[in-house]
Amino acid sequence: SEALEQSDNALVLKSAMKAISESNDASISFMAKPHINLAGSSCHLHLSVYDENGKNIFVGNDLNLTDKTSCSNNLKYFLGGIM
């Protein structure tokens, strides 16, 4: 189903962001308020980028995140630009 596919995509994105941040000696948190004494934010984005043929450019096997999860270099560079 579409909902299951979107859930899978969200997990892949979180895994990619964690792997990329760790490879750059940084950390990332998906908690709404990770520190009790600091302001929190539960703001988040849902992003997809498609090429001219309608293919999601984040999907690919360029970067292995886990044994079962990978992403394209496009996603790695996109996230690097955001971070």
Side-chain angles (χ1 to χ4, degrees), residues 3-4 14 19 22 33 35-36 44-45 48 55 57-58 60 62 65-66 72 76 79 81:
L4 180 59
K14 283 178 67 173
E22 288 174 6
K33 187 171 177 161
H35 302 286
I36 194 165
H44 63 278
L45 301 172
S48 297
K55 181 183 178 228
I57 68 166
F58 295 159
D62 300 319
L65 306 172
T66 68
S72 71
K76 180 174 80 170
L79 293 175

Side-chain angles (χ1 to χ4, degrees), residues 58-69:
F58 295 159
V59 175
N61 295 316
D62 300 319
L63 178 64
N64 291 324
L65 306 172
T66 68
D67 290 340
K68 297 180 181 180
T69 306

Side-chain angles (χ1 to χ4, degrees), residues 3-70:
L4 180 59
E5 183 178 345
Q6 292 304 316
S7 296
D8 290 344
N9 291 342
L11 183 60
V12 168
L13 178 63
K14 283 178 67 173
S15 297
M17 292 177 74
K18 286 180 180 183
I20 293 166
S21 66
E22 288 174 6
S23 70
N24 288 287
D25 295 321
S27 62
I28 191 167
S29 172
F30 298 97
M31 297 169 49
K33 187 171 177 161
H35 302 286
I36 194 165
N37 296 327
L38 300 174
S41 172
S42 60
C43 177
H44 63 278
L45 301 172
H46 294 253
L47 300 170
S48 297
V49 178
Y50 298 91
D51 67 13
E52 61 276 358
N53 298 315
K55 181 183 178 228
N56 186 332
I57 68 166
F58 295 159
V59 175
N61 295 316
D62 300 319
L63 178 64
N64 291 324
L65 306 172
T66 68
D67 290 340
K68 297 180 181 180
T69 306
S70 61

Side-chain angles (χ1 to χ4, degrees), residues 70-83:
S70 61
C71 68
S72 71
N73 280 329
N74 290 324
L75 176 60
K76 180 174 80 170
Y77 299 131
F78 181 85
L79 293 175
I82 291 175
M83 290 192 270

